[in-house]
Amino acid sequence: MKMNEGVEWALHSCVNLCWVGDTAVPAKRLAAFYELPPAYLNKQMQALVRAGILSSTSGPRGGFRLARRPERITLMDVVTAIEGPEDAFRCSSILADSPVGESGHDYAGSCFISMAMSKAEIAWRRELAATTIADLRDRVAKGFPESVEKIARELAS
Amino acid sequence: MKMNEGVEWALHSCVNLCWVGDTAVPAKRLAAFYELPPAYLNKQMQALVRAGILSSTSGPRGGFRLARRPERITLMDVVTAIEGPEDAFRCSSILADSPVGESGHDYAGSCFISMAMSKAEIAWRRELAATTIADLRDRVAKGFPESVEKIARELAS
DNA sequence: GCGGGTGTACTCGGATACAGGCTGTCCGAGTCTGGGCGG
DNA sequence: CCGCCCAGACTCGGACAGCCTGTATCCGAGTACACCCGC
């Protein structure tokens, strides 16, 4: 169970986009900041666009920008955009194939094991939804104020 | 991010092993209960043995049994045994390759993004650790008492 | 000098290869059982 | 009748293929800019 590496890239890039105001930043420059493969980061950004987290512009002076205020973007939004909406644990209803189960029945909501695993994932999602990109931005601004200007300059060049 | 299917199999099998007392049940019979591939389930059971959750016996009348009381086995233990101890989100310290980072430094404990993701995973793990195999066993006993005897008989045959 | 048209370069977006891990299978080592044999 | 020995079968354990998702890349469609030409 390994999370898509794009989640980390997407989160870092979203926070970075907070510092450049409303100007669009191309994937190439976002990738250069962390020395990431530009085309692959572009693929991840596309997922964020489809999820309505970013908006994209083509052509010269184009690129990506935040589609809404950072206060309205949670970590949960970003994770879901990259990983998809499905839970990590998926009840395959093996009970349906057992002597004590009913064939063809969906046990995702009734099997105690599935319910316990779902409860844990909900706790995880709740925690992710409680933090926003703005929270991260503020922590960086408070903890490393000297970096902010440098990031903005690097992404603008 | 999809969890190993063996986790579901292992959890079901652990609960089932609660009903047979201290007798060993071979992987072949555990697998037959859910019509699972026997050799592959055996592979997952091996992981539980390595984690000290089950004990195994070779030869006729051999098989797997719980290595300790179900009250002492949490869902977290089983998940860790199958999936490994690593977190789903792994900080790759991309900050170290950025203009504002220190090359070679490990940012797993200082990067705000990594910290936020870890906090969510801890909530998930805490929830998993709060439920034991005994809890699941009791819920089944309370909710489906007529199934218990049937399971025990099926696994003994 | 000014406006319009065109060419160019830039960027996103999706289609296309490559790799690693999960899924599934097979065979060998070890062990317990059960029956046969000898005392 | 009892105890020992041996053959057989059973089970775990690790080594070996196949597939599917994540990783990485490339090329085409669309667009905005900048330059050039004509008025």
Side-chain angles (χ1 to χ4, degrees):
Chain A
M1 188 186 51
K2 180 174 163 290
M3 180 171 287
N4 204 318
E5 204 170 5
V7 171
E8 185 180 10
W9 303 0
L11 287 172
H12 275 280
S13 296
C14 282
V15 173
N16 281 350
L17 282 174
C18 289
W19 310 117
V20 296
D22 198 49
T23 62
V25 181
K28 188 177 181 180
R29 209 173 299 151
L30 285 170
F33 189 80
Y34 296 115
E35 299 177 10
L36 302 175
Y40 190 35
L41 178 65
N42 188 15
K43 190 180 181 62
Q44 312 291 355
M45 295 295 108
Q46 286 177 35
L48 297 188
V49 171
R50 276 191 293 271
I53 296 170
L54 300 183
S55 67
S56 61
T57 313
S58 279
R61 297 286 173 186
F64 299 94
R65 74 191 74 193
L66 296 178
R68 54 178 189 265
R69 287 165 43 219
E71 290 83 0
R72 304 291 301 279
I73 304 173
T74 69
L75 301 195
M76 182 75 254
D77 295 332
V78 176
V79 169
T80 301
I82 304 284
E83 292 288 339
E86 291 184 79
D87 283 354
F89 180 92
R90 296 164 205 177
C91 178
S92 58
S93 294
I94 58 177
L95 272 174
D97 297 326
S98 79
V100 298
E102 180 184 350
S103 181
H105 191 267
D106 179 19
Y107 283 91
S110 53
C111 165
F112 292 124
I113 290 173
S114 173
M115 291 166 71
M117 296 299 289
S118 288
K119 190 181 171 199
E121 291 214 15
I122 287 172
W124 176 69
R125 292 184 123 84
R126 185 190 315 279
E127 203 70 38
L128 288 181
T131 306
T132 68
I133 296 295
D135 293 331
L136 296 176
R137 176 200 61 189
D138 295 343
R139 288 173 203 170
V140 173
K142 197 172 185 64
F144 304 94
E146 72 281 6
S147 297
V148 173
E149 188 192 357
K150 197 168 187 180
I151 296 171
R153 213 174 333 111
E154 201 78 25
L155 293 181
S157 65
Chain B
M1 188 186 52
K2 180 173 162 291
M3 180 170 289
N4 204 315
E5 204 170 2
V7 171
E8 185 180 10
W9 303 0
L11 288 172
H12 275 279
S13 296
C14 282
V15 174
N16 281 349
L17 281 174
C18 289
W19 309 117
V20 298
D22 198 48
T23 62
V25 181
K28 188 177 181 180
R29 208 173 301 150
L30 285 170
F33 190 80
Y34 296 114
E35 299 177 10
L36 303 174
Y40 190 35
L41 178 65
N42 188 15
K43 191 180 181 62
Q44 312 291 355
M45 296 294 107
Q46 286 176 35
L48 298 187
V49 171
R50 276 192 292 271
I53 296 171
L54 300 183
S55 68
S56 61
T57 314
S58 280
R61 297 283 172 186
F64 298 94
R65 75 192 74 193
L66 296 178
R68 55 180 189 265
R69 288 167 42 221
E71 290 82 2
R72 304 292 300 280
I73 305 173
T74 69
L75 301 194
M76 182 75 253
D77 295 332
V78 176
V79 169
T80 301
I82 304 284
E83 292 287 340
E86 292 183 76
D87 283 354
F89 181 92
R90 296 164 206 178
C91 177
S92 57
S93 293
I94 58 176
L95 272 173
D97 297 326
S98 79
V100 298
E102 180 184 349
S103 181
H105 190 267
D106 178 20
Y107 282 91
S110 53
C111 164
F112 292 125
I113 289 173
S114 173
M115 291 166 71
M117 295 301 289
S118 288
K119 191 181 173 199
E121 291 215 14
I122 287 172
W124 176 70
R125 292 184 123 84
R126 186 190 314 279
E127 203 69 39
L128 287 181
T131 306
T132 67
I133 296 295
D135 293 332
L136 296 176
R137 176 200 62 188
D138 295 343
R139 288 173 203 171
V140 173
K142 199 172 183 64
F144 304 94
E146 73 281 3
S147 296
V148 173
E149 188 192 358
K150 197 169 186 180
I151 297 172
R153 214 175 331 113
E154 202 77 26
L155 292 182
S157 64

